[in-house]
Structure formats: C-alpha cells, structure tokens
Amino acid sequence: MATPGSGFWSFGSEEGSGDPDNPGPAKAWCQAAQKFTGGISTKLCALLYGDGEKPMETGAKEDPSAGTRKTPCSCNNKPCACQKADINYAFLHSSDLLPASDGEIATLSFLQDVMDILLQYLVTNFDRSTKVIDFHYPNELLQEYNWELADQPQTLEEILLNCRTALKYAIKTGHPRYFNQLSTGLDMVGLAADWLTSTANTNMFTYEIAPVFVLLEYVTLRKMREIIGWPGGAGDGIFSPGGAISNMYAMLIARFKMFPEVKEKGMAAIPRLVAFTSEHGFVPFLVSATAGTTVYGAFDPLIAIADICKKYKIWMHVDGAWGGGLLMSRKHKWKLNGVERANSVTWNPHKMMGVPLQCSALLVREESCNQMHASYLFQQDKHYDLSYDTGDKALQCGRHVDVFKLWLMWRAKGTTGFEAHIDKCLELAEYLYNKIKNREGFEMVMDGKPQHTNVCFWYIPPSLRNMEDNEERLNRLSKVAPVIKARMMEYGTTMVSYQPLGDKVNFFRMVISNPAAAHQDIDFLIEEIERLGQDL
C-alpha cells in the first residue's frame, strides 16, 4: 500500500531552483492562489505544503476552529465592511440549509467550503509529482473509515470531512499519467458545465421543464449528424447513459424498421432474428460495424459493409463509441469513410473528445421507435411544438442533462480545438509505438502502426527473453502484466490497462485520450514498466 507524503510535492523538489523568476511548483501555485478570495488562497497553500494531506477520520472532529468560518456576504462593496458572524458546522445539519428559513447564510458558507475542497483537489489533479492513486485494499478502506449509513444525521462538519475523504482516495482521472480507460482527462469547461447542470437539476423529457437544454440537444445532435455526412444534418438522435445503451437503441430501431408489428404483438409474431448474418433459418436484421474497437482500436471496412447492407436491405449500424471522435479530425476522419451510409451511429464524446462522463449519443437517419405516447406525460394539446418533447424517444423516459457539457466545450474549443486534441493523442500513440517496437523487452501484439491511440504490447522481463517459446513461457508471461499493474497502483505512479484476448495472454493496452498527456509521460510509462518488471 502506498503511503502519502507530507504534501503533494513529496515526490519532487518542494522549493524548486531557488530562482525567484522560476519558483518551484508549490510556490508558483501559491502565488497564483493569492488571486482567490474567500480564504481559498490560504487553504491552497496549506495543501501545497503538506497541511492539506494530513489523514483524518470521516467521523473525527477537527480543531474547533476548523469547522468555523466567517459568513459570506452578498454585498458588492470591495473591500466589504459588513460585520460577519462565525458559523460553526459542528452544530449545523443539512436541515439548516436552504430551503430552511434564514438558511441563506449557512448555505452560502457551506457551499463555499465545498468549492474550496473541489479546488484543492483540482490543483493536484494535473501535477506530475502527485500520485495517480492512493491505493488501499477494500478491507483496509472499510476498516479505516466508518462508511455506514445511520438513522441520525451527521453535522455539516462531518459532511465536509466525508467530501475530503472521498476525494483523497479517488483516482485522479485527469492526471497526465492516467491511461487506464478510454475516458480520461478532466476538462475545466466541461466540469463547469457539469456543475451548472447539477444546479439546474432538471429532466430532459419535455421542453417545458428543460427548454434551453432540449434546444441545445437539438442543435448539437444536428451538428453531429452533419459531421457524419448526412445531408443537412437530417435525422434524429438522443443522448443515452452510455455506448451499450446507444447500441441497444439502434438494434431496437432496426428491428422495428423491418418488423413494425413487434411493438404491439411481441417477438412471437416475427421470425427469429440475428444480428449480422446467419445461414440457419434466422433473419438478419442488423449489421453492427465497429469504428475503433475497445482493445485494438481497429476500424471495420465501412464502405464494403455498406454495400452488403444496401444489397440485402439490412440496417447498418456503426458503433463509433470510441472512434467516432476521429470525425472531428481532417487528418484522421478517413478511417470512418462510409459512415455516412449508415442508418445509425453511436458516438461517445466522453471518450476521445474528453467530455466529462457521461455523454453518449445515438444518431439515426430517421425517427426512433420507442414512443408510447403516454398522455399523462406527453399531452398532445400543449401550446408549443411537441417535437421538442424528447422523453418519448427514450426507454427510461427521465433523462439526465448530458448535452450541456459537450455543447459548452464545443463553444469554448470550437471544432478546431477538438481536432487539435485528437490529432495530438494519435501523435502520442505513434510516438509510443515507435519508441517500443524495436526496444529490448517489448513485443507488439499486432504488426503495423495502430489505427487509433490503442497500443498493445507485452513487456518481456529479462528472465523470459531467452526462453523457448512454449507453454511454460506463455504461462509465465501471462502473469507479468498483472504484477506490474498491481505495483503501479501500489506506488501510485501511473495506471494502464491489461487483458488477454483470444489466444493471446495478458498484454498491456495503452490508450491515449487525456489532453494533459505529453511525450514525457509516454517516456515515463515505458521506464516505469521496465523498473517495475525487471525482477519478474
């Protein structure tokens, strides 16, 4: 188990070079923090120099002054001369916050402190001298803190401690050396959009309760359909909880297109169906092509598949959950040539485009099939255009506002900003491939340059490099990646995924979608794998 240092600079030089024009990282952050108000600057500097990482029990009491703060003021005077009272969270509960009578001051103070916690976490997220993870085994975390739910409410002081503890053990998914998942990175504009979305706390199923968000979804989905290549962005679409759900929607639409009676009569009224093809008496109703497979990052030949689907009048779906983002790049979008001929496309902006989780879109050429026309929700005599009531398209009816993150990031970056991010990630993947393809101790899983940012390889420790290629060697090799990954997590230095596939034993699958990653992080990963695996 990795143990935290005295501060998050414990892995590097705290003071830097001593040059006042080039201060160390902690001093530089503290200088920037002085611009913050509301006590944030003091807290940031305390964190940077170690005080912020002292372990604390979620139910333990801090120094009495720690739960006390001056109440914020809503006046516009600077400097403010208003008299401020002390608030002690040790004697307050959630029932003292809005909508409680006279709860405004306590609410503003509490939320300001929550924001302080979030900002303290954010400044550590991107610093390479911090750990990606402070790993503890499940039983250790369960025993170290009291996570149980109780009948009686905790104080707000304890709630703030709960917040700090949750983030202390959270994986820093925005860290430049976090490569574990397809979804990595933390975009500041996307984060701000997520905070706003939670504040609005509305449902996407009708225009009347989410007017702006419904219109933004309409505009954004139309733009995505235009990028796919459908004339004028015609068609339909919806944001769903993830790629699997988007793919399921596509299958339901394809089934309905071929056999519309299934909606009222059920599966017993139609032939036995299969997805893709079959020669065993089943009826093929859908071909699902992949643009960017999860492990290898491979792209199916969409033009050839489209020709077959057109010939046999079969619905063509493209699962571009991982690879769809390449449509934003003039340099790489050719890998999805033919996608414009699909009937439906899954595209997850929360993967390659770096939009905060969750943000997955299903885009279709024509209207969906899930409408049940529930009159108690979707009244037909409303005074506005009912086509903007989107809830009847979704199986779950109630739907989270996922579009605002993507829309606001698109406004902030422009299409060219997303393009630059995607091109950079693919360049980093090629850099990694070129570094290790002929490097001693590394062996590529697939021949040739990767199509996406997926780079799959084995690390061969010195003890296996001269062994005969037989079953014993494969058995030993299969244990290498899991041990190195475990050591990565215990040291907290980096994270990268591994898996077996088919007849291939465990190998590393490196994926790059993190905007914070740079060449130095690729170099670090290679050297860290060698360091952690040389004795195996």
Side-chain angles (χ1 to χ4, degrees), residues 112-128:
Q112 179 66 67
D113 276 352
V114 172
M115 184 59 67
D116 291 352
I117 292 170
L118 297 177
L119 292 175
Q120 289 169 8
Y121 178 76
L122 285 177
V123 299
T124 69
N125 220 333
F126 301 100
D127 193 273
R128 289 176 174 83

Side-chain angles (χ1 to χ4, degrees), residues 360-434:
S360 172
L362 172 72
L363 304 140
V364 294
R365 278 183 173 270
E366 54 195 81
E367 289 188 2
S368 184
C369 67
N370 294 317
Q371 290 89 345
M372 296 298 292
H373 305 296
S375 59
Y376 68 96
L377 285 176
F378 308 108
Q379 300 86 358
Q380 299 303 299
D381 54 359
K382 292 181 179 180
H383 61 289
Y384 59 82
D385 184 351
L386 298 180
S387 66
Y388 290 102
D389 284 358
T390 61
D392 213 16
K393 300 178 186 179
L395 291 178
Q396 75 267 32
C397 183
R399 207 157 48 88
H400 186 262
V401 179
D402 292 327
V403 66
F404 191 62
K405 297 171 289 191
L406 172 58
W407 180 84
L408 200 64
M409 285 178 62
W410 210 322
R411 297 275 283 198
K413 293 174 178 290
T415 305
T416 56
F418 281 123
E419 178 181 40
H421 161 66
I422 289 163
D423 288 349
K424 173 192 170 186
C425 288
L426 274 104
E427 187 275 324
L428 286 175
E430 185 173 352
Y431 175 79
L432 171 62
Y433 169 74
N434 289 331

Side-chain angles (χ1 to χ4, degrees), residues 203-472:
N203 192 322
M204 283 291 287
F205 70 81
T206 61
Y207 175 84
E208 67 181 90
I209 65 170
V212 174
F213 296 135
V214 165
L215 292 180
L216 295 184
E217 185 170 77
Y218 169 79
V219 168
T220 304
L221 290 173
R222 183 182 61 192
K223 180 67 173 179
M224 295 174 78
R225 292 191 297 267
E226 288 177 358
I227 290 174
I228 286 172
W230 296 338
D236 203 350
I238 198 168
F239 283 92
S240 78
I245 302 299
S246 293
N247 290 338
M248 182 189 71
Y249 277 138
M251 296 185 77
L252 293 175
I253 298 169
R255 186 184 66 178
F256 178 78
K257 179 72 173 178
M258 184 173 284
F259 298 103
E261 65 269 26
V262 72
K263 193 165 184 178
E264 295 183 356
K265 297 180 180 180
M267 291 292 291
I270 65 175
R272 294 189 67 181
L273 305 179
V274 294
F276 187 51
T277 188
S278 175
E279 297 179 355
H280 301 288
F282 301 149
V283 176
F285 73 104
L286 171 139
V287 172
S288 183
T290 304
T293 58
T294 301
V295 178
Y296 292 146
F299 290 78
D300 285 336
L302 301 183
I303 294 176
I305 293 171
D307 289 340
I308 294 172
C309 290
K310 180 180 179 180
K311 179 179 179 180
Y312 293 100
K313 298 180 179 179
I314 301 174
W315 187 279
M316 177 181 172
H317 175 65
V318 175
D319 179 0
W322 174 224
L326 271 62
L327 289 168
M328 307 292 279
S329 168
R330 287 167 290 184
K331 182 178 180 180
H332 296 285
K333 66 181 181 180
W334 64 268
K335 297 171 185 177
L336 289 94
N337 283 350
V339 68
E340 71 281 358
R341 297 175 61 185
N343 299 99
S344 57
V345 176
T346 291
W347 180 351
N348 284 13
H350 69 229
K351 290 183 177 174
M352 197 63 208
M353 294 170 65
V355 177
L357 286 160
Q358 63 190 24
C359 188
S360 172
L362 172 72
L363 304 140
V364 294
R365 278 183 173 270
E366 54 195 81
E367 289 188 2
S368 184
C369 67
N370 294 317
Q371 290 89 345
M372 296 298 292
H373 305 296
S375 59
Y376 68 96
L377 285 176
F378 308 108
Q379 300 86 358
Q380 299 303 299
D381 54 359
K382 292 181 179 180
H383 61 289
Y384 59 82
D385 184 351
L386 298 180
S387 66
Y388 290 102
D389 284 358
T390 61
D392 213 16
K393 300 178 186 179
L395 291 178
Q396 75 267 32
C397 183
R399 207 157 48 88
H400 186 262
V401 179
D402 292 327
V403 66
F404 191 62
K405 297 171 289 191
L406 172 58
W407 180 84
L408 200 64
M409 285 178 62
W410 210 322
R411 297 275 283 198
K413 293 174 178 290
T415 305
T416 56
F418 281 123
E419 178 181 40
H421 161 66
I422 289 163
D423 288 349
K424 173 192 170 186
C425 288
L426 274 104
E427 187 275 324
L428 286 175
E430 185 173 352
Y431 175 79
L432 171 62
Y433 169 74
N434 289 331
K435 289 273 290 188
I436 65 174
K437 64 180 180 180
N438 296 317
R439 190 183 182 100
E440 184 180 14
F442 289 83
E443 183 178 326
M444 305 307 300
V445 174
M446 302 287 289
D447 293 331
K449 187 172 71 173
Q451 292 181 286
H452 204 345
T453 69
N454 308 51
V455 182
C456 300
F457 59 92
W458 288 284
Y459 173 69
I460 315 295
S463 64
L464 300 184
R465 291 175 192 171
N466 297 318
M467 277 189 67
E468 184 180 349
D469 190 8
N470 53 29
E471 185 173 351
E472 180 187 356

